[in-house]
């Protein structure tokens, strides 16, 4: 969490024009970068769960409201009848499982897109994160190796 803010702050310092893209989650209060088109909005949910949770509860409420109206009830009957008649469409093949939660990846994609000023693919983000993690792991291993080498050279 702290490191998230450290990264966010250094990004905004490096790219001052991104300051106008800073938004605050109205549910949990966390700051995050968003599209410039959302600049100044006060009603945004963060991409770390709030936006998703909020959207889900809203769409449930909408469809419950709708199907309680007479017009909606008729439509639902028709829908159910049709559903009974036609076999369910085949499921699309499962996309490759993502190594990170999708909302997080989408957020990183938006931020990287803002920083680089271009459209970034989700697959690029996955690749980038995997590369960064690999480098971290390598640096850590190297440090441990150096520590072991030092201990070997200076026996207690
Ligand atoms: Zn939030």
């Amino acid at each position: 969490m702290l490191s998230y803010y450290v990264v966010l702050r250094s990004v905004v310092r490096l790219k001052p024009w991104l300051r106008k893209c800073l938004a605050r989650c109205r549910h949990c209060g966390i700051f995050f970068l968003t599209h410039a088109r959302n600049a100044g909005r006060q009603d945004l949910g963060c991409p770390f769960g709030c936006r998703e949770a909020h959207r889900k509860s809203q769409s449930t409420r909408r469809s419950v409201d709708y199907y309680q109206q007479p017009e909606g009830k008729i439509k639902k009957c028709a829908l159910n009848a049709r559903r009974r008649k036609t076999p369910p469409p085949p499921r699309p093949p499962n996309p490759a499982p993502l190594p990170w939660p999708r909302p997080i990846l989408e957020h990183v994609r938006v931020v990287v897109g803002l920083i680089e000023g271009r459209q970034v693919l989700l697959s690029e983000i996955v690749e980038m994160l995997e590369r960064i993690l690999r480098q971290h792991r390598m640096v850590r291993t190297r440090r441990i190796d150096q520590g072991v080498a030092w201990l070997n050279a200076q026996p207690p």
Side-chain angles (χ1 to χ4, degrees):
M1 190 61 208
L2 190 65
S3 60
Y4 169 72
Y5 272 127
V6 170
V7 170
L8 190 61
R9 205 179 48 195
S10 57
V11 165
V12 173
R13 192 178 299 150
L14 281 172
K15 319 269 174 176
W17 65 89
L18 288 179
R19 197 175 291 276
K20 67 176 190 314
C21 299
L22 263 183
R24 189 165 197 196
C25 175
R26 72 185 180 111
H27 304 289
C28 69
I30 194 174
F31 282 95
F32 61 96
L33 284 171
T34 183
H35 281 297
R37 61 165 186 260
N38 290 330
R41 278 179 59 178
Q42 305 280 309
D43 60 337
L44 296 172
C46 72
F48 312 113
C50 294
R51 188 187 297 165
E52 193 80 342
H54 190 69
R55 190 191 295 144
K56 226 172 271 167
S57 73
Q58 249 196 347
S59 79
T60 311
R61 202 181 318 140
R62 254 200 309 272
S63 77
V64 166
D65 280 355
Y66 179 72
Y67 284 123
Q68 269 159 4
Q69 293 157 3
E71 173 207 357
K73 274 192 186 139
I74 293 165
K75 200 149 199 184
K76 184 152 196 195
C77 283
L79 210 70
N80 285 345
R82 203 177 325 141
R83 224 176 261 157
R84 275 193 292 274
K85 247 181 280 168
T86 49
R91 280 168 166 278
N94 268 346
L98 294 167
W100 288 277
R102 202 184 173 91
I104 302 289
L105 290 175
E106 285 291 349
H107 175 62
V108 177
R109 190 168 73 98
V110 167
V111 172
V112 173
L114 283 171
I115 293 170
E116 300 197 353
R118 66 183 180 99
Q119 282 276 350
V120 182
L121 297 173
L122 211 60
S123 58
E124 285 182 77
I125 296 302
V126 172
E127 236 165 71
M128 181 193 80
L129 289 174
E130 276 170 348
R131 197 171 55 233
I132 291 171
L133 276 186
R134 242 191 336 264
Q135 279 164 358
H136 269 260
R137 245 176 258 135
M138 244 151 53
V139 168
R140 204 163 47 205
T141 324
R142 210 177 301 141
R143 260 192 223 133
I144 292 167
D145 285 349
Q146 280 167 358
V148 170
W150 185 83
L151 279 176
N152 283 339
Q154 323 244 333

